[in-house]
Amino acid sequence: MEKTYHIVERSDSESLADCLVKNGQGLLPMVELIEQSQKAVDDLIDGVGRATIEAVLKLSAQGVAGPPHPGKKGGAVGWHGRETGTVCLRERKLRVKRPRLRQKEQGEGGEVPAYEAMRAEGKLSSRMLEILLRGVSTRQYAAVLPQMAETVGVSKSSVSREAIEASEEELRRLCERRLESLELLILYVDGLCFGEHQVLVAVGVDEQGQKHALGLAEGASENSPVVKGLLEDLVQRGLKTGRKYLFVIDGSKALRAAIEAVFGREHPVQRCRNHKLENVSSYLPQELKGQVKTVMRAAFRLPAKEGMARLEKQAEWLEREYPSAAASLREGLAEMFTVTNLNLSTSLARCLVSTNVIESPHSGVRLRTRQVCRWRDGKMVLRWAAAALLMTEKNFRRIMGYKDLWMLKAALGRNQEPSKEKAA
């Protein structure tokens, strides 16, 4: 037998309010209670809410067993007193009195249909995880709930269990996400720190400029097996390899080698200019950092050939007294100008010469995990990172200069893909 479902909307509560006003005699005692006493409105709503739930349970029981008839024999299902039960609200459990039913012939109990629906906990764990990711610690969880008598299930241990279950589901959902349907142009890969642990995150940008969380792995971008494993996992989940992508990375040699090993040499790679500025200046005394950064930024605004020549002169100037800074400046120099050589619009190129596009999701993840004081192990880190990344993904916006992505698509030779695939 099919069930009839009804979607509750705001208009439903308005209609109910209008009905209650028209038949307001039953509400007069409540009005007087509010006007004449100091009882908090929240406490009043709490009591009314529990009474409403218990009334719904009674009505549901009547739909199965009919109205109770003390001293009279009813039908096949009869009333058998009341007992304490628990129903699940959005972020807590509420203890209520529920009717008991009994099958007279078999002598077995039967559940009230409404109670079966209200006790389902499917959304409780995800709601708890959402609250925790918004900055409420497990120790403070009970304090954010309305003060409700006989409310159960809000101890920090129960919150932790619910959060673990929900975050494990989020990690599974991210790691099993299929990628065949995504028409990606750009892949960003960068690391994120959680205490002593590091997580490598991959984010893609499609032809419309929308960002997508692709995957993550425990480890640093300097760890070759971790980097290669993450990229291979993306391919296994459907990332198309028979086309060119623009990779934007932080400059890690291991990451660069992994891209070549998994995808081949033909893919353009842009190294983050912001990382290069910080890496070079880290080898310099404080009084020279600003000067060298200014020279590098000016060179980045020049055409590729002129900019590289200007930075080579800067490296020669640093060579004598600061050889480590000179070596850092020369390392991967050509890939500082990969986007420049693609001849893209200024707004789009500005977005693609650094890892800022993935740094923004990283900031959202840090914000949502800031209350965690102790990272016990890598599994915990992955669960929280995945859950926070997926929540942050809901707020993703299109990248700057997305209207000019057709230029990147043409530069990557992607406009000819359909005919090639058809011929294949």
Side-chain angles (χ1 to χ4, degrees):
M1 179 179 179
E2 294 187 0
K3 294 184 178 180
T4 301
Y5 295 92
H6 177 68
I7 299 176
V8 179
E9 299 178 349
R10 184 181 297 274
S11 59
D12 296 316
S13 62
E14 294 174 354
S15 299
L16 178 58
D18 292 339
C19 179
L20 291 174
V21 170
K22 292 178 182 178
N23 303 276
Q25 293 298 320
L27 295 178
L28 290 179
M30 187 186 303
V31 175
E32 293 178 0
L33 180 62
I34 295 175
E35 293 177 347
Q36 298 176 8
S37 72
Q38 298 299 318
K39 185 175 178 64
V41 174
D42 284 349
D43 293 338
L44 177 63
I45 293 175
D46 170 40
V48 174
R50 179 182 283 104
T52 301
I53 292 175
E54 292 179 349
V56 169
L57 295 178
K58 290 180 182 179
L59 290 173
S60 180
Q62 289 183 19
V64 176
H69 298 283
K72 296 183 179 180
K73 188 174 182 179
V77 181
W79 293 72
H80 195 69
R82 296 197 306 167
E83 65 180 5
T84 300
T86 302
V87 298
C88 293
L89 305 181
R90 288 194 68 190
E91 64 273 355
R92 60 180 178 272
K93 298 176 183 177
L94 175 64
R95 203 181 297 277
V96 297
K97 292 291 185 180
R98 67 183 185 92
R100 294 182 62 192
L101 302 178
R102 172 166 293 184
Q103 299 280 350
K104 293 187 176 180
E105 293 184 0
Q106 292 83 3
E108 297 178 356
E111 288 293 357
V112 178
Y115 180 70
E116 284 292 318
M118 290 182 183
R119 69 183 299 186
E121 298 186 19
K123 296 183 179 180
L124 181 61
S125 58
S126 60
R127 176 58 178 163
M128 282 187 175
L129 178 63
E130 180 182 351
I131 291 178
L132 293 176
L133 290 175
R134 293 186 185 278
V136 178
S137 69
T138 55
R139 294 178 182 273
Q140 298 173 334
Y141 186 83
V144 305
L145 301 178
Q147 296 299 319
M148 178 175 289
E150 302 180 289
T151 298
V152 297
V154 293
S155 66
K156 66 176 183 178
S157 59
S158 66
V159 173
S160 296
R161 288 192 299 270
E162 298 281 1
I164 288 173
E165 292 177 5
S167 58
E168 285 179 347
E169 175 60 24
E170 294 292 87
L171 176 60
R172 184 197 64 78
R173 186 161 68 92
L174 177 60
C175 292
E176 295 181 3
R177 175 178 284 184
R178 301 302 303 175
L179 307 177
E180 294 95 337
S181 61
L182 297 180
E183 297 294 333
L184 300 177
L185 291 176
I186 314 162
L187 295 177
Y188 290 84
V189 185
D190 197 14
L192 186 60
C193 293
F194 296 86
E196 298 179 353
H197 300 270
Q198 291 186 334
V199 172
L200 195 63
V201 181
V203 172
V205 178
D206 63 23
E207 296 178 355
Q208 287 72 44
Q210 297 287 355
K211 292 180 284 187
H212 303 269
L214 303 180
L216 48 76
E218 183 189 6
S221 58
E222 292 80 11
N223 190 321
S224 297
V226 172
V227 175
K228 187 176 180 181
L230 174 60
L231 296 180
E232 289 176 342
D233 177 63
L234 299 183
V235 174
Q236 290 175 1
R237 290 192 280 121
L239 184 64
K240 300 170 185 176
T241 56
R243 55 180 59 181
K244 281 188 178 181
Y245 299 97
L246 171 65
F247 287 87
V248 183
I249 61 176
D250 62 0
S252 163
K253 294 180 181 179
L255 182 51
R256 182 66 183 86
I259 292 172
E260 185 173 322
V262 177
F263 291 91
R265 297 183 177 182
E266 68 276 10
H267 297 270
V269 176
Q270 171 69 44
R271 299 204 183 195
C272 177
R273 292 177 177 178
N274 292 338
H275 280 82
K276 177 63 72 174
L277 289 169
E278 295 303 321
N279 290 342
V280 173
S281 63
S282 66
Y283 296 104
L284 298 173
Q286 190 64 37
E287 61 270 15
L288 283 180
K289 289 183 179 181
Q291 175 185 340
V292 173
K293 284 184 177 181
T294 299
V295 171
M296 293 176 65
R297 290 191 181 101
F300 289 149
R301 289 193 290 268
L302 297 174
K305 187 175 180 179
E306 296 179 23
M308 291 176 62
R310 187 70 58 86
L311 291 179
E312 179 60 35
K313 288 184 179 180
Q314 181 67 43
E316 291 175 359
W317 183 79
L318 294 171
E319 183 74 46
R320 182 174 180 179
E321 296 188 20
Y322 307 101
S324 296
S328 177
L329 181 55
R330 288 191 175 109
E331 196 273 323
L333 182 59
E335 292 182 345
M336 292 290 104
F337 294 88
T338 298
V339 169
T340 303
N341 285 324
L342 295 177
N343 297 318
L344 306 177
S345 66
T346 303
S347 60
L348 180 58
R350 180 183 175 187
C351 181
L352 302 181
V353 295
S354 72
T355 56
N356 286 351
V357 167
I358 195 173
E359 289 293 340
S360 178
H362 285 357
S363 297
V365 172
R366 294 188 190 97
L367 177 66
R368 289 169 170 81
T369 58
R370 67 188 186 279
Q371 292 291 349
V372 182
C373 301
R374 179 188 174 197
W375 297 102
R376 294 183 179 85
D377 50 45
K379 187 176 181 180
M380 175 187 177
V381 170
L382 286 176
R383 287 191 289 100
W384 275 84
L389 182 61
L390 289 178
M391 178 176 282
T392 304
E393 186 183 40
K394 297 176 182 178
N395 300 321
F396 280 178
R397 298 181 179 180
R398 288 192 283 192
I399 66 170
M400 181 178 60
Y402 69 90
K403 293 182 179 179
D404 297 325
L405 280 171
W406 63 271
M407 301 175 69
L408 176 60
K409 185 177 179 181
L412 295 175
R414 298 280 286 271
N415 292 332
Q416 291 76 32
E417 282 182 3
S419 59
K420 288 183 179 181
E421 292 176 357
K422 185 176 182 180

